[in-house]
Amino acid sequence: MRFEHETLAQRVCFAPSEASAVVWAEVERLGASRVMVIASASEADLAKSVTSDVPVVLHHDEVVMHVPVASAERARAAATAHDVDLVISVGGGSTTGLAKAVALTSGLPVVAVPTTYAGSEATSVWGLTEGARKTTGVDAGVLPRSVVYDATLTLSLPVGLSVASGLNALAHCVDSLWAPRTDPIDQALAGEGVRALAAGLPAVVADPAGLEGRERMLYGAYLSATAFSSAGSGLHHKICHVLGGRYDLPHAQTHAVVLPYVLAFNAQAAPQVERRLAEAFGTASALEGLQRLRRTVDAPVALRDYGFAEADIDDAVPVILEAAPPSNPREVTADGVRRLLRAAREGADPAA
C-alpha cells in the first residue's frame, strides 16, 4: 500500500439547534469585527437569525447559480468597500461558492453555514462561470475555516430539493472512488458517506420534519465532500460542470440525473469500486442499489426536464472529451459520451 493523503485544515461543528451561538463563537475565535454575510434573498431572514450576535457590516444577497464572474466581482468589490475581515455564507452550494470567490482574491476567512447537502463547504474547490464555460480550480485559501452544521436549518428545504441535493452528495462519493487522486482514505470516507446518505435520504422523504434523517444527510454530505476534495473530479463531475456551465442546467438536479449513467458506464471497468458501492448499498450490484434508492425517493429522471435539448448533445461531446480525466477506468470516447448524454436526456434505463 503506497499513497499520499493530505488532510485539509478545517474546524467542523455539528450543533443541532445551536447555529447562532456556534457561529458567534467561531467569529470570536477568528477575531473578526467586520463581517460580510452572503445569503440569497430567500434565505435572508434565516441568515439574519443565525448571525444576530455577529458584528455584521454587510448583507449581500446576489447569489446566482454557477457563480458568474460578474457576480463574483461585485461581491469582491462590496467586501473591499466595507473593509470586511470575515465572510459568513448561509445557504447552499451557490452561496458557499460566492463566498469562496471572494476568498480566492482577498484571502478573507470564510465561515460556512450550509442549508443544503451540497458539500462545497468542505472542499478547497472553487468554480466560476463566464459566458458558457465553467472553470474550476483548487486553492487552499477558499476552504472555509469553520463549518457549522445545524440540521434545523435544512427543515425549510423542500423534499424535492433535498432529494436532488442528497444525490449530488452521493455523486461526490461515487466519483471519489475512481477520481484521479483517490486513495484508501478517500475510499473509506466515500463508502461511509454512501451508507449515511442511503439511510438518511429515505428518512427525510418519509418524515420531512424529522431531524434524524437530515442529520444523517449532513454527516454523509460532509464525508462525501471531504473525500471528493482530496480525490479530485472524476468523469461524473466533469460532465456535470460542462452541462451546468454551458446550458445553465440546475446543479443538484443535473448531478442526480447523470449519476446512474456514469456509474453504469464505468462499473464493469472498475470491479473493486463496484463491489465497494454494492456493499455500501447492501445490494447485489452498485447500480441496483442506486436505482432502488432513486425509486424510493422519487429522484429526478431526465435532463430534458431541465432544458437539455437534443441539439445540445453533439455540442457538449467535444467539450466533455476535453475535460474527461485520462485516468477514468473506462476509455472515454465521443460515441460513449454521446450515448450517455442521450440516455440521460431521455431518462432511459441506465442498465441498458
Side-chain angles (χ1 to χ4, degrees):
M1 185 179 292
R2 185 185 298 275
F3 66 92
E4 294 179 0
H5 179 87
E6 184 172 338
T7 300
L8 300 179
Q10 182 181 70
R11 181 176 168 88
V12 179
C13 308
F14 275 76
S17 303
E18 297 180 356
S20 180
V22 176
V23 167
W24 174 82
E26 290 305 297
V27 172
E28 286 280 293
R29 188 178 66 84
L30 293 167
S33 60
R34 298 185 62 80
V35 176
M36 174 185 190
V37 176
I38 297 179
S40 67
S42 63
E43 296 195 289
D45 290 341
L46 177 63
K48 288 178 181 177
S49 173
V50 168
T51 60
S52 58
D53 298 324
V54 172
V56 178
V57 297
L58 173 63
H59 287 274
H60 187 87
D61 66 3
E62 189 194 344
V63 176
V64 183
M65 187 170 60
H66 305 303
V67 195
V69 169
S71 295
E73 292 293 353
R74 285 189 287 272
R76 292 162 174 167
T80 299
H82 287 79
D83 195 23
V84 166
D85 60 5
L86 183 142
V87 179
I88 296 176
S89 64
V90 182
S94 297
T95 304
T96 309
L98 182 58
K100 285 180 171 183
V102 174
L104 182 65
T105 56
S106 68
L108 289 172
V110 175
V111 173
V113 186
T115 60
T116 72
Y117 313 112
S120 176
E121 68 279 355
T123 81
S124 54
V125 178
W126 57 266
L128 293 168
T129 303
E130 188 167 25
R133 196 172 191 90
K134 185 170 186 176
T135 301
T136 61
V138 176
D139 191 305
V142 307
L143 179 74
R145 301 284 183 87
S146 302
V147 184
V148 179
Y149 288 111
D150 180 348
T152 64
L153 303 184
T154 70
L155 290 173
S156 61
L157 188 66
V159 168
L161 287 178
S162 295
V163 168
S165 184
L167 289 170
N168 177 24
L170 193 64
H172 287 130
C173 293
V174 175
D175 233 15
S176 295
L177 290 168
W178 47 45
R181 300 190 306 274
T182 190
D183 62 44
I185 296 175
D186 299 329
Q187 292 168 357
L189 291 170
E192 175 65 8
V194 170
R195 283 184 282 272
L197 295 165
L201 196 47
V204 170
V205 172
D207 182 15
L211 290 181
E212 183 176 351
R214 292 183 182 273
E215 287 184 340
R216 281 180 176 264
M217 291 296 294
L218 286 175
Y219 170 63
Y222 169 71
L223 292 175
S224 72
T226 303
F228 174 72
S229 189
S230 171
S233 293
L235 178 62
H236 172 87
H237 278 78
K238 295 300 186 182
I239 290 173
C240 290
H241 287 164
V242 170
L243 297 180
R246 199 169 183 85
Y247 311 106
D248 201 30
L249 303 188
H251 182 83
Q253 290 87 342
T254 301
H255 281 270
V257 171
V258 170
L259 180 58
Y261 299 98
V262 177
L263 177 56
F265 182 84
N266 274 346
Q268 288 187 343
Q272 291 183 328
V273 169
E274 199 281 335
R275 284 195 298 272
R276 185 186 286 265
L277 281 170
E279 290 172 2
F281 282 120
T283 50
S285 77
L287 187 59
E288 176 190 342
L290 176 59
Q291 290 299 82
R292 184 176 69 179
L293 175 63
R294 286 171 50 80
R295 289 190 296 270
T296 299
V297 301
D298 193 22
V301 173
L303 289 179
R304 65 183 176 188
D305 296 336
Y306 302 99
F308 188 60
E310 175 74 26
D312 295 331
I313 294 175
D314 283 338
D315 176 69
V317 168
V319 187
I320 291 171
L321 287 176
E322 180 183 348
S327 60
N328 190 65
R330 177 178 170 183
E331 183 184 5
V332 182
T333 65
D335 181 61
V337 172
R338 190 175 294 108
R339 290 173 60 202
L340 189 156
L341 291 178
R342 183 164 290 113
R345 180 184 181 274
E346 299 299 323
D349 180 4

